[in-house]
Short mmCIF file of all heavy atoms in Angstrom, two decimals:
data_model
loop_
_atom_site.label_atom_id
_atom_site.label_comp_id
_atom_site.label_asym_id
_atom_site.label_seq_id
_atom_site.Cartn_x
_atom_site.Cartn_y
_atom_site.Cartn_z
N TYR A 199 -1.71 23.94 -0.92
CA TYR A 199 -0.56 24.80 -1.25
C TYR A 199 -0.97 26.25 -1.36
O TYR A 199 -0.23 27.17 -0.93
CB TYR A 199 0.06 24.32 -2.59
CG TYR A 199 1.11 23.24 -2.40
CD1 TYR A 199 0.82 21.92 -2.68
CD2 TYR A 199 2.39 23.53 -2.03
CE1 TYR A 199 1.77 20.92 -2.52
CE2 TYR A 199 3.35 22.58 -1.87
CZ TYR A 199 3.06 21.24 -2.08
OH TYR A 199 3.98 20.28 -1.96
N ALA A 200 -2.13 26.47 -1.98
CA ALA A 200 -2.58 27.88 -2.11
C ALA A 200 -2.86 28.53 -0.78
O ALA A 200 -2.44 29.72 -0.54
CB ALA A 200 -3.82 27.94 -2.99
N THR A 201 -3.48 27.79 0.15
CA THR A 201 -3.82 28.36 1.43
C THR A 201 -2.55 28.63 2.25
O THR A 201 -2.43 29.64 2.94
CB THR A 201 -4.74 27.47 2.20
OG1 THR A 201 -4.19 26.12 2.30
CG2 THR A 201 -6.12 27.41 1.56
N VAL A 202 -1.55 27.70 2.22
CA VAL A 202 -0.33 27.89 2.93
C VAL A 202 0.42 29.13 2.41
O VAL A 202 0.96 29.94 3.16
CB VAL A 202 0.54 26.64 2.87
CG1 VAL A 202 1.96 26.92 3.45
CG2 VAL A 202 -0.10 25.46 3.60
N LEU A 203 0.43 29.29 1.10
CA LEU A 203 1.10 30.45 0.47
C LEU A 203 0.42 31.75 0.94
O LEU A 203 1.08 32.72 1.30
CB LEU A 203 1.09 30.33 -1.04
CG LEU A 203 1.65 31.52 -1.82
CD1 LEU A 203 3.13 31.73 -1.47
CD2 LEU A 203 1.51 31.31 -3.32
N LEU A 204 -0.91 31.75 0.89
CA LEU A 204 -1.64 32.97 1.26
C LEU A 204 -1.46 33.27 2.74
O LEU A 204 -1.29 34.47 3.12
CB LEU A 204 -3.17 32.77 0.98
CG LEU A 204 -3.52 32.75 -0.50
CD1 LEU A 204 -5.01 32.46 -0.67
CD2 LEU A 204 -3.15 34.08 -1.18
N LEU A 205 -1.42 32.22 3.60
CA LEU A 205 -1.21 32.48 5.02
C LEU A 205 0.24 33.01 5.29
O LEU A 205 0.44 33.90 6.11
CB LEU A 205 -1.38 31.20 5.80
CG LEU A 205 -2.85 30.74 6.01
CD1 LEU A 205 -2.91 29.37 6.65
CD2 LEU A 205 -3.63 31.74 6.84
N THR A 206 1.18 32.51 4.52
CA THR A 206 2.58 32.97 4.66
C THR A 206 2.67 34.43 4.24
O THR A 206 3.29 35.26 4.94
CB THR A 206 3.52 32.12 3.83
OG1 THR A 206 3.40 30.76 4.21
CG2 THR A 206 4.94 32.56 4.02
N VAL A 207 2.10 34.76 3.13
CA VAL A 207 2.16 36.15 2.65
C VAL A 207 1.43 37.08 3.57
O VAL A 207 1.87 38.18 3.86
CB VAL A 207 1.55 36.24 1.22
CG1 VAL A 207 1.41 37.68 0.77
CG2 VAL A 207 2.39 35.47 0.21
N SER A 208 0.29 36.66 4.11
CA SER A 208 -0.48 37.51 5.01
C SER A 208 0.28 37.76 6.31
O SER A 208 0.25 38.85 6.88
CB SER A 208 -1.85 36.89 5.31
OG SER A 208 -1.69 35.64 5.98
N GLN A 209 1.00 36.73 6.78
CA GLN A 209 1.76 36.91 8.01
C GLN A 209 2.93 37.88 7.79
O GLN A 209 3.21 38.74 8.61
CB GLN A 209 2.30 35.55 8.52
CG GLN A 209 2.80 35.60 9.95
CD GLN A 209 4.22 35.11 10.09
OE1 GLN A 209 4.89 34.91 9.07
NE2 GLN A 209 4.67 34.91 11.29
N VAL A 210 3.61 37.73 6.63
CA VAL A 210 4.69 38.65 6.29
C VAL A 210 4.18 40.07 6.13
O VAL A 210 4.80 41.04 6.54
CB VAL A 210 5.46 38.15 5.05
CG1 VAL A 210 6.52 39.15 4.67
CG2 VAL A 210 6.12 36.78 5.32
N ALA A 211 3.02 40.19 5.52
CA ALA A 211 2.44 41.52 5.24
C ALA A 211 2.06 42.24 6.49
O ALA A 211 2.07 43.48 6.52
CB ALA A 211 1.19 41.34 4.36
N SER A 212 1.78 41.50 7.55
CA SER A 212 1.39 42.17 8.80
C SER A 212 2.56 42.96 9.43
O SER A 212 2.37 43.92 10.15
CB SER A 212 0.90 41.12 9.84
OG SER A 212 1.93 40.22 10.12
N SER A 213 3.79 42.54 9.09
CA SER A 213 4.98 43.21 9.62
C SER A 213 5.69 44.05 8.57
O SER A 213 6.23 45.10 8.82
CB SER A 213 5.95 42.23 10.23
OG SER A 213 6.31 41.28 9.27
N SER A 214 5.62 43.57 7.28
CA SER A 214 6.31 44.26 6.18
C SER A 214 5.60 44.02 4.87
O SER A 214 5.79 42.99 4.23
CB SER A 214 7.76 43.76 6.09
OG SER A 214 8.42 44.32 4.96
N PRO A 215 4.70 44.93 4.47
CA PRO A 215 3.98 44.80 3.19
C PRO A 215 4.92 44.66 2.00
O PRO A 215 4.61 43.91 1.06
CB PRO A 215 3.13 46.07 3.12
CG PRO A 215 2.99 46.51 4.56
CD PRO A 215 4.29 46.12 5.22
N ALA A 216 6.04 45.36 2.03
CA ALA A 216 6.97 45.28 0.93
C ALA A 216 7.53 43.88 0.79
O ALA A 216 7.69 43.34 -0.32
CB ALA A 216 8.09 46.32 1.08
N GLN A 217 7.89 43.30 1.92
CA GLN A 217 8.43 41.93 1.91
C GLN A 217 7.34 40.94 1.39
O GLN A 217 7.70 39.98 0.70
CB GLN A 217 8.88 41.52 3.33
CG GLN A 217 9.43 40.11 3.45
CD GLN A 217 10.70 39.89 2.63
OE1 GLN A 217 11.41 40.85 2.40
NE2 GLN A 217 10.92 38.68 2.20
N ALA A 218 6.11 41.16 1.75
CA ALA A 218 5.04 40.31 1.29
C ALA A 218 4.87 40.36 -0.23
O ALA A 218 4.71 39.35 -0.88
CB ALA A 218 3.69 40.70 1.97
N LEU A 219 4.96 41.58 -0.77
CA LEU A 219 4.87 41.69 -2.25
C LEU A 219 6.08 41.03 -2.89
O LEU A 219 5.93 40.42 -3.97
CB LEU A 219 4.80 43.21 -2.60
CG LEU A 219 3.50 43.91 -2.28
CD1 LEU A 219 3.60 45.40 -2.61
CD2 LEU A 219 2.34 43.28 -3.03
N ARG A 220 7.22 41.21 -2.27
CA ARG A 220 8.43 40.56 -2.85
C ARG A 220 8.29 39.04 -2.82
O ARG A 220 8.68 38.35 -3.80
CB ARG A 220 9.65 41.02 -2.04
CG ARG A 220 10.98 40.67 -2.71
CD ARG A 220 12.13 41.55 -2.25
NE ARG A 220 12.20 41.62 -0.80
CZ ARG A 220 11.96 42.76 -0.12
NH1 ARG A 220 11.63 43.84 -0.76
NH2 ARG A 220 12.06 42.76 1.19
N THR A 221 7.74 38.49 -1.75
CA THR A 221 7.55 37.07 -1.63
C THR A 221 6.60 36.57 -2.74
O THR A 221 6.86 35.57 -3.40
CB THR A 221 6.92 36.73 -0.27
OG1 THR A 221 7.85 37.10 0.77
CG2 THR A 221 6.61 35.21 -0.15
N LEU A 222 5.50 37.28 -2.90
CA LEU A 222 4.53 36.88 -3.92
C LEU A 222 5.13 37.04 -5.30
O LEU A 222 4.88 36.24 -6.22
CB LEU A 222 3.24 37.74 -3.76
CG LEU A 222 2.02 37.26 -4.52
CD1 LEU A 222 1.64 35.87 -4.09
CD2 LEU A 222 0.87 38.24 -4.31
N GLY A 223 5.96 38.09 -5.48
CA GLY A 223 6.60 38.27 -6.80
C GLY A 223 7.52 37.17 -7.14
O GLY A 223 7.61 36.75 -8.31
N TYR A 224 8.30 36.69 -6.16
CA TYR A 224 9.20 35.59 -6.38
C TYR A 224 8.44 34.34 -6.89
O TYR A 224 8.89 33.67 -7.84
CB TYR A 224 9.97 35.23 -5.09
CG TYR A 224 11.16 36.10 -4.83
CD1 TYR A 224 11.39 36.58 -3.53
CD2 TYR A 224 12.05 36.43 -5.82
CE1 TYR A 224 12.47 37.41 -3.27
CE2 TYR A 224 13.16 37.23 -5.56
CZ TYR A 224 13.33 37.75 -4.28
OH TYR A 224 14.41 38.53 -4.04
N VAL A 225 7.32 34.05 -6.22
CA VAL A 225 6.54 32.87 -6.60
C VAL A 225 6.00 33.03 -8.02
O VAL A 225 6.10 32.10 -8.84
CB VAL A 225 5.42 32.67 -5.59
CG1 VAL A 225 4.52 31.49 -6.04
CG2 VAL A 225 5.97 32.34 -4.21
N VAL A 226 5.42 34.17 -8.30
CA VAL A 226 4.84 34.39 -9.66
C VAL A 226 5.95 34.33 -10.74
O VAL A 226 5.77 33.72 -11.77
CB VAL A 226 4.09 35.74 -9.69
CG1 VAL A 226 3.67 36.07 -11.14
CG2 VAL A 226 2.91 35.72 -8.77
N PHE A 227 7.10 34.94 -10.44
CA PHE A 227 8.19 34.96 -11.40
C PHE A 227 8.69 33.55 -11.63
O PHE A 227 9.03 33.18 -12.80
CB PHE A 227 9.35 35.84 -10.85
CG PHE A 227 10.57 35.80 -11.73
CD1 PHE A 227 10.56 36.44 -12.98
CD2 PHE A 227 11.71 35.19 -11.31
CE1 PHE A 227 11.68 36.43 -13.79
CE2 PHE A 227 12.83 35.15 -12.11
CZ PHE A 227 12.84 35.75 -13.35
#
Side-chain angles (χ1 to χ4, degrees):
Y199 272 101
T201 54
V202 172
L203 176 62
L204 291 176
L205 286 173
T206 303
V207 172
S208 63
Q209 194 235 12
V210 175
S212 62
S213 57
S214 175
Q217 178 64 27
L219 289 175
R220 192 158 49 248
T221 299
L222 195 58
Y224 279 136
V225 175
V226 174
F227 176 71

